[in-house]
Amino acid sequence: MKIAILSRYGEIQETRRGLVGDPEDLHSRYIAAFINGVVIGCLYLPNGNPFPGPKFDYKLKWINRLTAHSEKLKGFNMPVALIGDYNIMPTEMDTYKPEKYVNNALFRPEARKLFQALIAQGWTDAIRKLYPHERIYTFWDYLRNAYGRDAGLRLDHFLLNADLADHLDSAGVDKHVRGWAHSSDHAPVWINIKV
C-alpha cells in the first residue's frame, strides 16, 4: 500500500516520509506536507491481523510511534490534520456488529485504547464531532453483500488539532462511490474547513 497527498491549492512542500523509532520499518505508511498554511499528515496504519501475532504487535508499535510524532506536531502552532486509514474502529458505534470483531485487530481493546490516547493529546475526530450519535461507515467488505446490507466499519478518520477543529464546517462520507463497479472497499471521506 502506498499513500499520497494531492492538492489543488498550489505548491506541496513535503515535510516528512515515515515515522522515527524503527529504522527497519521500510513500509510507506506515513507522509506529511505543508499546503496552503496547513500541515497534513497522511497515513495508512497497519491492519494487524491476524490477532494475536507479529502483525498485531507491529500495529501497536506503529500507533505508539504515530502518537510520539503527533505530540511533536502539536508544538507547531499551526493547523494540522492527521488523515487516512487508521484500521481502527474506535467504538462499538463504528461497526455494524461489534460482537463479530472481538478478536479482530481492527477492534481489539489494545488498539482502541491507543487510539483514544492519541485523541486525548488534543485531537478532534472530525466525523464524531459533527455526528456524535450516528452510525457512519467508511468501509464495506467485498464479501457477503456487505455494502448492500450496510454492514460497514468506520476505519478512516480525520484527526484535527485545535487550530483546525475550530474551523470545521462540515464532513461526510461519499458512501455511494462504494457502490460503483470496481470501486475500492473504502468510500471517500471528506471535510470542509471554513476560514
Side-chain angles (χ1 to χ4, degrees):
M1 175 64 74
K2 299 272 186 188
I3 53 174
I5 298 173
L6 304 175
S7 172
R8 60 181 176 177
Y9 295 106
E11 183 181 357
I12 298 175
Q13 297 175 341
E14 185 179 318
T15 59
R16 169 168 289 284
R17 283 189 189 202
L19 296 173
V20 299
D22 184 356
E24 302 295 316
D25 186 2
L26 302 177
H27 294 255
S28 298
R29 295 189 175 276
Y30 184 84
I31 189 170
F34 184 69
I35 305 167
N36 199 33
V38 178
V39 176
I40 298 175
C42 184
L43 62 99
Y44 175 60
L45 202 141
N47 178 291
N49 280 305
F51 167 83
K55 290 183 178 182
F56 185 69
D57 297 340
Y58 171 63
K59 176 184 187 120
L60 299 183
K61 289 176 185 173
W62 203 93
I63 299 169
N64 282 323
R65 290 166 54 209
L66 175 65
T67 302
H69 177 66
S70 67
E71 184 67 38
K72 292 177 185 174
L73 290 175
K74 285 176 42 187
F76 284 4
N77 294 320
M78 62 180 56
V80 181
L82 289 173
I83 63 176
D85 180 356
Y86 280 75
N87 272 315
I88 296 174
M89 297 173 274
T91 69
E92 290 191 355
M93 195 166 38
D94 299 311
T95 170
Y96 75 101
K97 200 172 196 178
E99 63 275 15
K100 179 180 177 179
Y101 292 93
V102 172
N103 286 315
N104 188 300
L106 306 175
F107 197 56
R108 287 294 305 167
E110 301 92 333
R112 292 165 59 197
K113 182 178 179 182
L114 290 176
F115 184 86
Q116 293 307 323
L118 177 63
I119 293 285
Q121 287 181 329
W123 298 94
T124 296
D125 179 341
I127 292 288
R128 277 292 159 245
K129 178 179 181 179
L130 297 179
Y131 306 100
H133 306 294
E134 292 184 40
R135 286 192 179 274
I136 295 175
Y137 306 132
T138 65
F139 170 93
W140 295 262
D141 202 328
Y142 293 122
L143 304 174
R144 296 176 296 284
N145 190 32
Y147 177 72
R149 295 184 297 118
D150 199 25
L153 313 173
R154 189 171 76 101
L155 303 175
D156 306 275
H157 310 293
F158 276 74
L159 301 188
L160 312 177
N161 74 348
D163 291 332
L164 205 53
D166 289 343
H167 300 283
L168 179 63
D169 181 58
S170 57
V173 179
D174 288 340
K175 178 182 174 181
H176 68 281
V177 174
R178 174 58 182 85
W180 293 353
H182 311 294
S183 68
S184 168
D185 46 10
H186 294 258
V189 183
W190 55 268
I191 63 171
N192 280 325
I193 301 296
K194 186 180 284 187
V195 289

